[in-house]
Amino acid sequence: IVKFLQHRYGLSYDSDQEVLITVGVSEGLDVVMRAILNPGDKVLVPEPSYVSYGPVVELAGGTVVTIKTDIQSGFKLTPQHIDKAYTKGVKALMINYPCNPTGASYTKPELQAIAKVVKKHNMLVVSDEVYDELTYDFDHTPIASLPGMKERVVYLNGFSKAYAMTGFRIGWVCGPKNIVAAMTKIHQYTILCASITGQMAAQEALKNSFKSIQLMKREYDRRRRYMVEALNDIGLKCHMPQGAFYVF
């Protein structure tokens, strides 16, 4: 994973960071919330969002602060959204891009603007980037790769989407050593480990599947353009998703 991140995104991890292999990104989300939240801590969650984001915060004893996005902003989170929603007790911002279910994603300048306000409020970022390879209109930028962000980002990714390995249930988390160490304590007593067979398949995927991902990405791109045009033609208004495989 570390070698892949360095090769793919130029994102290097050192002795201050650790990696944890999880049973899909879903386990990673659950364990990170249980590791970072004390009762009553708040988490900013943009909506529309993946169905489990709010519940994993609540199950860990946290409080969800919802940030509503809409089609006028392309369903994107903005620094103004974060400033307006921020209150005392906010521990972290949850972000997912490309987004399930809207397909919204972020350019590097957009992420830099979000990073600036995150630093201002001294928040953690829990970043679910499982659809990273399915970004169509610009290059995907991990928010952890921005200056000064690696030490405050818990970066989640996995093999279900880009590698079409949903049933293998292999995800991974990269983040600050103290946070990942706390996550590992929970993981090892509840899950023990992600399946070894799945991990072997994931290793093969990292080494030899890049061409297949590009073929799949081109086909999804063709489909998104067809579907958006067809839906709008019959009066069902929807914006052009910048990633993932959803039309919202």
Side-chain angles (χ1 to χ4, degrees):
I1 295 296
V2 170
K3 289 180 179 178
F4 168 77
L5 289 173
Q6 175 66 47
H7 174 73
R8 183 73 180 90
Y9 294 119
L11 179 55
S12 60
Y13 280 88
D14 52 34
S15 60
D16 292 328
Q17 284 82 33
E18 285 192 357
V19 177
L20 172 66
I21 306 301
T22 59
V23 181
V25 177
S26 293
E27 190 221 341
L29 285 165
D30 175 47
V31 176
V32 69
M33 290 303 159
R34 290 200 271 166
I36 68 172
L37 295 181
N38 293 312
D41 282 347
K42 300 172 184 175
V43 178
L44 302 180
V45 180
E47 288 191 350
S49 68
Y50 179 56
V51 65
S52 76
Y53 290 165
V56 294
V57 172
E58 292 170 349
L59 285 167
T63 300
V64 177
V65 178
T66 299
I67 301 176
K68 297 288 187 181
T69 65
D70 55 37
I71 198 167
Q72 280 69 40
S73 65
F75 297 106
K76 292 191 182 191
L77 182 69
T78 67
Q80 292 75 26
H81 282 135
I82 299 171
D83 265 333
K84 186 176 180 180
Y86 182 83
T87 61
K88 184 179 179 181
V90 169
K91 174 70 69 71
L93 167 69
M94 181 94 74
I95 190 169
N96 167 222
Y97 68 102
C99 177
N100 173 358
T102 67
S105 197
Y106 298 91
T107 63
K108 187 173 183 178
E110 288 170 335
L111 289 169
Q112 288 170 331
I114 290 172
K116 185 176 181 180
V117 73
V118 164
K119 291 175 187 176
K120 180 176 78 171
H121 294 303
N122 194 28
M123 290 186 287
L124 292 170
V125 177
V126 178
S127 187
D128 176 357
E129 301 177 33
V130 72
Y131 294 95
D132 58 350
E133 295 289 359
L134 299 178
T135 302
Y136 304 113
D137 300 322
F138 44 81
D139 291 333
H140 180 86
T141 301
I143 193 168
S145 68
L146 300 179
M149 289 301 290
K150 189 165 58 175
E151 57 267 30
R152 64 173 69 248
V153 173
V154 180
Y155 175 22
L156 299 104
N157 211 320
F159 292 83
S160 292
K161 312 308 178 187
Y163 301 92
M165 290 173 57
T166 307
F168 286 81
R169 306 311 305 149
I170 301 295
W172 45 268
V173 178
C174 297
K177 188 173 184 177
N178 62 326
I179 294 176
V180 178
M183 294 174 66
T184 302
K185 289 179 182 178
I186 302 165
H187 166 86
Q188 68 186 1
Y189 292 119
T190 54
I191 297 297
L192 188 64
C193 73
S195 111
I196 299 303
T197 306
Q199 291 192 57
M200 292 171 69
Q203 191 172 22
E204 175 66 19
L206 285 176
K207 290 180 178 179
N208 296 308
S209 67
F210 188 71
K211 289 183 179 178
S212 297
I213 290 172
Q214 298 312 303
L215 288 172
M216 182 173 68
K217 179 178 174 177
R218 286 197 291 271
E219 175 60 16
Y220 274 135
D221 188 14
R222 183 190 69 80
R223 294 181 192 181
R224 74 162 177 145
R225 295 176 187 278
Y226 175 84
M227 287 300 297
V228 169
E229 181 179 354
L231 288 169
N232 280 296
D233 281 349
I234 63 172
L236 293 175
K237 184 180 179 182
C238 59
H239 80 304
M240 181 67 76
Q242 295 171 319
F245 39 64
Y246 305 99
V247 174
F248 189 81

